[in-house]
Amino acid sequence: MFTSLKSLVVANSVLISRWLLGSFLLLTAVTRFTADDVSYFSKQLQAVNLPELPWLSAVLGIMQLVTLAALIVPGYRWSQIIIYIYAGLATVPLLMMFTHPVWIDALGGFPAIGAGQGLIKYLGIVAVSLFIASHYAGHTRVNKLAVKLAVGGILLVMVWIGGMKFTQIEADGIEGLMSTSPLFSWIYSLFSVLHGSYFIGVVELLAVIGILLAPWSDKAYVFGLSVAALTFAATQTFLITLPGYETSLGFPVLTGSGQFIVKDLALLACCIILFNKRKLVGH
C-alpha cells in the first residue's frame, strides 16, 4: 500500500510539473511571433557577430508548441525525444552568460548580474524538461541527474538574485513589482525601499541555507523548499498587478517582464519534484 501511495505521489508531482512547464511554454511561445521578440533575438545574434535571422523567433515558438504537444502525450517515444531536444536547446541561454554583456560593471561585474537574471532561470527549465523526459523514458541515471540539476537551478537563482537584493540597483528595480502586489506591498509600510529589499534577500538566503542542510535536517530542507516554492508561486501575481502583459495586438501577450516572471513556473516545478525526491538529495 505504501509503495502504491508513493507511486501516486510521484505521478502527481510529474503531472503538475508537466502542467507548469507546459504553461511556461505556451505563454512564452505566443510572444515568439511578435515583432518585439524578432528584434530581441536579432540583437542577441548581433552581439556574437552572427547574421540576423528574422525567422528564428518563430521557429523557437513552433518548437515550444511542439514540446507542449509532447508534454500532453509524454508516453510516446517521439514525445520523449522532443522534450530531450528542448532540454538541450534550453541550455543555450545559459551559455549566453559568457557571450553577452549581462554583468553590471557599476557593481564590479561578476558576481553582480543584470540582464542575466532571466538567463540563469534556464537551468531549472533544463532540469524539469530532463526530469519529465527521463521519467517516462525510464532513464534512471538521467532522472537522478535532473533532480540534482533542479537543486542547482533553485540554488543558483535564490543565491544570485537573493544576493542582489542587498544592492541599491536591485532594490530600486523590484520596487515597481513589489509595491503593486497586495502580497508584498506591506513590506514598504515597514521598511524603506532598500531595507525592504534586504528583508526579501534575507528570506531568500534562509531558504538557501535550509536546502543546503538537506543531508543533516529534513525539517530545514522542507522549510527551505517551502519558502522557495512560495516565492516562485507568489511572483506569478505580478503578471496581473504589474501587469506583465499588454494587449496592443488585440489579445494578451507577455511583456519582457512577464516572460521573466513566468520562468518561475519551471522553478516551482523543480520544488515540487524535490519534495518527492528527497532521498536523492540527502535523505
Side-chain angles (χ1 to χ4, degrees):
M1 182 177 178
F2 176 77
T3 302
S4 298
L5 180 60
K6 183 178 179 181
S7 298
L8 179 62
V9 171
V10 171
N12 284 338
S13 70
V14 175
L15 179 62
I16 295 171
S17 298
R18 284 167 50 201
W19 185 85
L20 290 171
L21 180 61
S23 297
F24 158 74
L25 290 171
L26 178 60
L27 290 170
T28 54
V30 175
T31 69
R32 301 290 178 256
F33 302 95
T34 65
D36 285 345
D37 266 32
V38 171
S39 175
Y40 169 79
F41 285 107
S42 293
K43 289 179 180 178
Q44 302 314 309
L45 290 172
Q46 288 178 350
V48 289
N49 299 316
L50 291 176
E52 292 185 32
L53 302 175
W55 45 265
L56 178 60
S57 182
V59 169
L60 292 174
I62 293 171
M63 181 62 196
Q64 289 185 215
L65 293 175
V66 171
T67 305
L68 174 61
L71 287 171
I72 296 173
V73 286
Y76 294 101
R77 180 63 177 168
W78 63 266
S79 297
Q80 296 150 19
I81 292 173
I82 288 173
I83 300 171
Y84 271 134
I85 291 173
Y86 177 74
L89 290 175
T91 63
V92 174
L94 291 171
L95 299 177
M96 289 169 60
M97 295 285 294
F98 306 100
T99 59
H100 290 65
V102 298
W103 311 105
I104 302 177
D105 293 334
L107 295 178
F110 185 87
I113 188 172
Q117 287 192 22
L119 300 180
I120 58 177
K121 292 185 178 184
Y122 274 94
L123 182 56
I125 294 170
V126 171
V128 176
S129 301
L130 285 178
F131 181 85
I132 294 171
S134 61
H135 172 80
Y136 287 99
H139 298 156
T140 305
R141 290 185 179 179
V142 178
N143 198 256
K144 290 181 178 180
L145 172 63
V147 171
K148 293 178 180 179
L149 289 177
V151 177
I154 292 172
L155 291 179
L156 180 63
V157 169
M158 297 295 280
V159 169
W160 219 319
I161 297 181
M164 280 292 295
K165 296 296 189 297
F166 296 93
T167 66
Q168 186 69 56
I169 191 170
E170 180 73 2
D172 293 337
I174 66 171
E175 182 186 9
L177 286 172
M178 309 297 284
S179 61
T180 61
S181 172
L183 293 180
F184 298 101
S185 59
W186 59 269
I187 292 175
Y188 295 117
S189 65
L190 299 176
F191 304 102
S192 66
V193 170
L194 182 59
H195 290 100
S197 185
Y198 286 174
F199 172 75
I200 298 167
V202 168
V203 171
E204 292 178 342
L205 294 181
L206 283 175
V208 169
I209 292 172
I211 294 172
L212 290 175
L213 288 174
W216 302 280
S217 173
D218 186 62
K219 289 183 179 179
Y221 178 63
V222 170
F223 166 78
L225 271 185
S226 299
V227 172
L230 288 172
T231 299
F232 299 136
T235 58
Q236 300 312 300
T237 62
F238 297 147
L239 290 175
I240 305 300
T241 60
L242 185 59
Y245 64 92
E246 55 93 16
T247 57
S248 61
L249 297 176
F251 55 90
V253 177
L254 292 179
T255 61
S257 296
Q259 292 187 57
F260 174 79
I261 291 167
V262 297
K263 289 174 185 174
D264 284 355
L265 291 175
L267 293 165
L268 177 57
C270 285
C271 292
I272 292 171
I273 289 168
L274 294 177
F275 272 121
N276 296 291
K277 289 287 187 178
R278 301 213 294 270
K279 287 185 179 180
L280 291 178
V281 178
H283 295 278

